[in-house]
Amino acid sequence: SSLLAVEQLSPGNAAMGQGQPKMTLEEQLKESKKQVNKAIRELERERMNMETNEKKIQAEIKKHAAKGQMNAAKTLAKDLVRCRKHQEKFIKMKANLQAVQLRMQTLKSTEALARAMKGVTAAMGKMNQQMNIPAITQMMREFEKQSNQMEMTEDMMNDAVDGVMDDGEDEAEEDEVLNKVLMEIGIDVSQQLSAAPTASLPAAQQGVAQAPAEMNLEERLAALKR
């Protein structure tokens, strides 16, 4: 199997048996990959040789068949079948070695991932040891307390500023605007009163007619001042 091939190709086993220093996993994978590539090249070379022999055998079969030497042609036909079967075996062995190579590459990637995770785990452990959870909790509580206090202080300052700024200037400006409005109303009412026909009315009736108008104007002015 492919796993067995990995164990057989692994130089670490031989090094351990010879008492040499044990190779790291990365070194073993690198050396095994070289050996697998070498084996694949040898298999491909043998397959190409078998393919060349197959062509030669085919030519010999045609030659003997043309001469009527059927026994020799039949013997060569058996050799041709065996040659083709060997080529199929070489192709299968090459595919198995390539599968082994792929597994070794996957193993190398897994080993690199494991080393990275080991480093990250160690770093996380150190960070957890350095973190003081009670102190962090107390700090967050103090932050919330100071934040609330700052918000209350800001509200109080805004109220104080509003009280200082409210020194009557707004009220004077409001009175000025109101007086302008009243003057405009008065002008409009005076124009309406002056435009009304009064010549045909007696003096007494004119006084009676003007009295309600003046009273209406005074009520409207009083309502606006309120």
Side-chain angles (χ1 to χ4, degrees):
S1 64
S2 57
L3 292 177
L4 181 59
V6 173
E7 294 179 356
Q8 291 176 351
L9 292 173
S10 177
N13 296 331
M16 292 175 62
Q18 297 175 2
Q20 297 178 357
K22 185 178 179 181
M23 299 175 64
T24 62
L25 179 59
E26 185 176 0
E27 293 174 347
Q28 292 180 22
L29 290 173
K30 185 176 180 180
E31 186 65 25
S32 298
K33 185 177 180 180
K34 291 171 59 177
Q35 294 183 7
V36 169
N37 289 333
K38 182 180 179 181
I40 290 175
R41 289 194 299 268
E42 291 178 354
L43 287 173
E44 185 63 20
R45 189 181 304 112
E46 290 296 329
R47 189 194 66 79
M48 293 178 66
N49 292 334
M50 295 295 292
E51 186 176 355
T52 303
N53 291 333
E54 178 184 356
K55 293 179 181 180
K56 292 181 179 179
I57 293 172
Q58 287 178 350
E60 289 293 330
I61 291 173
K62 292 179 181 180
K63 181 178 178 181
H64 288 289
K67 292 180 179 180
Q69 299 173 356
M70 302 306 298
N71 291 331
K74 186 175 182 180
T75 302
L76 290 173
K78 291 180 180 179
D79 292 339
L80 180 61
V81 172
R82 283 195 295 267
C83 182
R84 289 177 176 176
K85 288 184 178 180
H86 283 303
Q87 290 186 57
E88 292 177 358
K89 289 182 180 179
F90 287 152
I91 293 173
K92 186 176 181 181
M93 292 173 64
K94 179 182 177 181
N96 289 334
L97 287 175
Q98 288 175 342
V100 170
Q101 191 177 31
L102 179 60
R103 290 191 178 186
M104 287 193 299
Q105 182 65 34
T106 303
L107 182 60
K108 182 179 179 181
S109 302
T110 305
E111 191 268 341
L113 178 61
R115 284 190 285 107
M117 292 181 64
K118 182 179 179 181
V120 172
T121 303
M124 291 175 63
K126 291 181 181 180
M127 290 180 62
N128 289 330
Q129 291 176 359
Q130 295 177 0
M131 291 180 64
N132 189 347
I133 302 301
I136 293 176
T137 303
Q138 181 63 28
M139 180 182 65
M140 295 303 295
R141 291 177 179 174
E142 184 66 20
F143 174 80
E144 183 179 3
K145 177 181 177 181
Q146 295 299 330
S147 178
N148 293 333
Q149 185 174 355
M150 181 178 294
E151 185 176 357
M152 294 175 61
T153 303
E154 184 178 0
D155 293 339
M156 293 175 64
M157 291 179 64
N158 291 334
D159 294 340
V161 171
D162 293 340
V164 171
M165 297 299 293
D166 189 12
D167 55 355
E169 294 181 359
D170 293 342
E171 185 176 356
E173 186 176 357
E174 293 172 1
D175 292 340
E176 183 179 357
V177 172
L178 181 60
N179 291 330
K180 289 182 179 180
V181 173
L182 294 177
M183 290 175 65
E184 291 176 359
I185 295 173
I187 292 172
D188 292 339
V189 172
S190 300
Q191 292 177 354
Q192 292 176 2
L193 293 176
S194 60
T198 57
S200 59
L201 293 176
Q205 291 182 358
Q206 291 181 2
V208 173
Q210 292 178 357
E214 293 177 357
M215 292 178 62
N216 189 15
L217 177 60
E218 291 178 358
E219 290 177 359
R220 291 173 63 184
L221 292 175
L224 289 174
K225 288 183 179 181
R226 286 198 299 267

